[in-house]
Amino acid sequence: MEGITTYIYRNLHRRLYSGVEKYFAPFISPGPDQGLSVKEVRDVLPENNEGTPLIPQLMTNRSGDFIEACRVMSGMGYREINLNLGCPSGTVVSKRKGSGFLAYPEELDRFFDEVFSDSFIGNGEVEISVKTRTGKESHEEWPRLMEIYNRYPFKELIIHPRVRNDYYKNTPNLDVFEEAVKNSVNPVVFNGDLFRIPEFLRFAERFPGAEAVMIGRGLIRNPELAERILSLSRTEKAEADGFDLARFREFHDLLLSEYRERMSGEIPVLYKMKELWFYMMSMFPDSGKIEKKIKKSKRLAEYRAAVDELFQ
């Protein structure tokens, strides 16, 4: 998630929590002129991700840029690269990138043909996975997209069964996902609205053969969610949707300390932490007054006092 799951966040999560098989970096947008930015490269540098299994994610509609970026990532030691076809941002979609690329199936097919025809990728130097929505305007676009995806040997097809116009509203279309599971020649992974244990249990009941799920916002909300899901599958017991408060506090404090060490000034640090609380606050019901204090804090001292009050 752009701006949130940086290498600082990922490494601390890996250190304090279990259950995540691999992490996906926020997308990198390679281009013919600008190449890769210093900020983008820093986030995926191997020395900044030691011990954390990471998949770089690219967002582009130009096969040449994608291939060249794959070569750069391969040179860093990465063996799987993900293409983002899910981002619904207006500035992204207007450039025919992210979920905007889905509206041009002929161009998308040609993109993949050129990518997999490249000798570097064709020889298996890197494996390609895709994160996709099920259409730009309508789910009726999905059969054509599925036909395209089935032509190519993807490592996995990560499906968020919403269309771009849904953004993150409405409900993921599980009927469309079910059709994808039946028809895909590539391994399928589900993504979408798995925030709590009950939601995962409903998904698992309908799709008992699902091998993997990708969780974004739900794992930011509750960093412990992945390991609780694995514990569920082992014990076959519906545990409460809770979390270890002491470990959550430790995670928060270490993250705050890391950002203070690496960022200049209090304002950028406050911005980072407040962005996280947009997701995490739902783990603290009936805390509306304290939430306002956190949002309105303008100095770290105010912020810390509000957070202390919340945890108490």
Side-chain angles (χ1 to χ4, degrees):
M1 296 175 66
E2 186 179 11
I4 297 178
T5 56
T6 63
Y7 73 90
I8 297 172
Y9 185 98
R10 297 190 303 263
N11 291 343
L12 275 176
H13 187 275
R14 181 72 171 178
R15 175 175 152 192
L16 294 181
Y17 295 97
S18 63
V20 177
E21 179 183 346
K22 55 187 177 182
Y23 295 81
F24 287 72
F27 65 77
I28 293 171
S29 296
D33 299 320
Q34 76 273 22
L36 304 180
S37 72
V38 173
K39 179 182 177 182
E40 289 173 333
V41 171
R42 183 189 303 119
D43 193 59
V44 296
L45 283 174
E47 56 264 37
N48 288 336
N49 293 279
E50 291 182 8
T52 300
L54 182 67
I55 310 299
Q57 186 179 86
L58 304 178
M59 187 165 67
T60 180
N61 57 18
R62 295 168 58 96
S63 58
D65 294 341
F66 182 84
I67 293 167
E68 181 57 32
C70 283
R71 291 177 181 272
V72 173
M73 296 295 113
S74 176
M76 294 182 183
Y78 294 107
R79 293 295 172 260
E80 179 185 341
I81 310 296
N82 183 264
L83 175 68
N84 182 317
L85 292 175
C87 181
S89 168
T91 54
V92 166
V93 170
S94 65
K95 298 175 183 177
R96 298 189 180 187
K97 296 181 180 181
S99 58
F101 202 1
L102 302 177
Y104 305 92
E106 302 306 319
E107 294 180 20
L108 184 64
D109 192 13
R110 185 163 55 252
F111 173 94
F112 286 129
D113 181 63
E114 292 169 355
V115 165
F116 284 99
S117 295
D118 180 77
S119 59
F120 177 79
I121 293 175
N123 289 338
E125 295 295 330
V126 294
E127 294 182 292
I128 307 300
S129 60
V130 170
K131 183 173 186 288
T132 182
R133 291 190 177 228
T134 47
K136 181 176 180 288
E137 308 286 343
S138 166
H139 293 294
E140 293 179 4
E141 301 167 38
W142 179 247
R144 174 68 176 124
L145 294 171
M146 184 83 266
E147 178 186 342
I148 293 170
Y149 293 140
N150 276 345
R151 291 178 186 163
Y152 304 98
F154 294 110
K155 169 77 171 179
E156 57 189 16
L157 189 62
I158 304 166
I159 300 175
H160 184 128
R162 282 185 170 102
V163 297
R164 180 268 171 172
N165 290 352
D166 287 331
Y167 287 84
Y168 295 98
K169 297 177 294 185
N170 302 321
T171 303
N173 192 318
L174 295 183
D175 292 335
V176 175
F177 181 75
E178 187 171 31
E179 288 300 310
V181 171
K182 292 178 181 177
N183 298 324
S184 178
V185 302
N186 295 298
V188 172
V189 175
F190 176 79
N191 171 247
D193 287 17
L194 295 179
F195 296 107
R196 301 170 176 85
I197 293 296
E199 290 152 2
F200 173 79
L201 289 173
R202 287 193 292 271
F203 172 83
E205 182 178 5
R206 180 165 178 178
F207 300 97
E211 295 185 8
V213 294
M214 170 189 271
I215 302 178
R217 292 167 294 153
L219 201 59
I220 306 302
R221 171 185 176 270
N222 181 1
E224 199 172 315
L225 182 59
E227 63 182 57
R228 282 183 170 263
I229 285 175
L230 289 184
S231 176
L232 265 177
S233 64
R234 286 195 298 268
T235 63
E236 298 182 0
K237 177 183 176 183
E239 298 179 8
D241 181 33
F243 66 115
D244 182 333
L245 185 64
R247 185 161 44 146
F248 191 98
R249 180 67 197 257
E250 181 184 9
F251 179 64
H252 168 275
D253 290 353
L254 286 171
L255 197 59
L256 177 62
S257 177
E258 290 277 354
Y259 282 137
R260 285 202 66 196
E261 184 177 330
R262 287 172 168 78
M263 304 181 80
S264 177
E266 295 189 356
I267 299 302
V269 175
L270 285 170
Y271 179 83
K272 281 284 188 187
M273 300 309 296
K274 289 179 183 181
E275 195 171 19
L276 286 172
W277 280 115
F278 176 81
Y279 300 95
M280 299 189 305
M281 189 59 71
S282 64
M283 296 298 292
F284 298 82
D286 304 319
S287 300
K289 291 183 179 180
I290 304 177
E291 180 180 8
K292 288 181 181 178
K293 290 181 181 180
I294 290 175
K295 286 181 178 179
K296 291 181 178 180
S297 59
K298 297 181 180 180
R299 302 298 301 269
L300 278 174
E302 297 174 55
Y303 171 81
R304 282 189 171 127
V307 169
D308 285 342
E309 185 178 353
L310 181 70
F311 279 102
Q312 289 166 6

